[in-house]
């Protein structure tokens, strides 16, 4: 997986500090992604399955001085609005402003998509894949 416009490189202490601030522990696969790339624009960037077809506009950086971060999104979406359980961590946003979350309570890091405009009030959709598999399923736009 390649990311462009990634932020400054992170180290283990940056991740430990983020975990302590949030009160969660990242699955190893999430930790490794943040150590290899602190956010950015994925290439390829289209995710589709039987339920959704969307573009990933950004893998949210954990730390940034220039743009919004996953930590800020967590504060807004999880702590303030309580849209998802406290152990869900927002890691990416799609072109329409909806978020992808990883369940940090399970080592495989299952991925969920939060659809803000769901007609049937079923906002949180399980993608039935882990965090690492999610990135391998992205495709180029046709």
């Amino acid at each position: 997986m390649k990311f462009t416009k990634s932020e400054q490189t992170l180290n283990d202490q940056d991740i430990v500090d983020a975990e302590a601030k949030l009160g969660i522990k990242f699955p190893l696969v999430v930790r490794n992604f943040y150590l290899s790339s602190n956010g950015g624009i994925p290439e390829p960037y289209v995710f589709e399955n039987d339920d959704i077809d969307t573009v990933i506009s950004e893998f949210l950086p954990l730390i940034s001085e220039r743009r919004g971060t996953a930590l800020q999104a967590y504060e807004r979406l999880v702590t303030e609005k309580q849209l998802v359980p406290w152990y869900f961590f927002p890691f990416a946003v799609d072109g329409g402003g909806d978020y992808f979350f990883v369940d940090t309570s399970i080592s495989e890091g299952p991925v969920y998509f939060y659809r803000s405009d769901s007609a049937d009030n079923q906002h949180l959709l399980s993608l039935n894949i882990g965090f690492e598999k999610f990135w391998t399923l992205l495709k180029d736009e046709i």
Side-chain angles (χ1 to χ4, degrees):
M1 174 56 49
K2 179 181 173 186
F3 297 96
T4 60
K5 298 185 181 178
S6 187
E7 294 293 321
Q8 71 267 19
T9 303
L10 299 177
N11 60 44
D12 283 322
Q13 190 60 50
D14 293 324
I15 294 175
V16 168
D17 291 346
E19 290 173 328
K21 180 177 181 172
L22 302 175
I24 62 176
K25 178 119 173 99
F26 293 124
L28 185 59
V29 65
V30 175
R31 172 183 285 270
N32 288 340
F33 255 77
Y34 274 109
L35 288 173
S36 66
S37 181
N38 182 21
I41 300 169
E43 293 179 11
Y45 57 88
V46 175
F47 179 85
E48 61 184 12
N49 66 10
D50 292 338
D51 299 309
I52 63 171
D53 181 1
T54 190
V55 299
I56 312 302
S57 63
E58 182 179 20
F59 171 39
L60 297 168
L62 201 58
I63 299 170
S64 175
E65 295 179 5
R66 301 179 301 180
R67 62 185 193 227
T69 67
L71 295 175
Q72 291 165 331
Y74 181 92
E75 180 67 29
R76 186 176 66 257
L77 302 170
V78 181
T79 304
E80 293 173 10
K81 294 185 178 184
Q82 299 179 351
L83 297 178
V84 296
W86 65 270
Y87 48 86
F88 275 41
F89 185 73
F91 68 88
V93 63
D94 82 343
D98 288 326
Y99 287 83
F100 289 87
F101 290 85
V102 60
D103 179 346
T104 64
S105 70
I106 300 173
S107 63
E108 294 80 19
V111 175
Y112 292 79
F113 183 62
Y114 188 89
R115 298 179 292 189
S116 60
D117 62 351
S118 174
D120 60 3
N121 267 350
Q122 296 297 318
H123 297 288
L124 194 59
L125 173 68
S126 172
L127 300 184
N128 297 312
I129 54 174
F131 186 83
E132 189 168 34
K133 179 79 171 174
F134 170 81
W135 295 110
T136 66
L137 294 177
L138 296 184
K139 303 185 261 184
D140 288 320
E141 193 167 27
I142 297 174

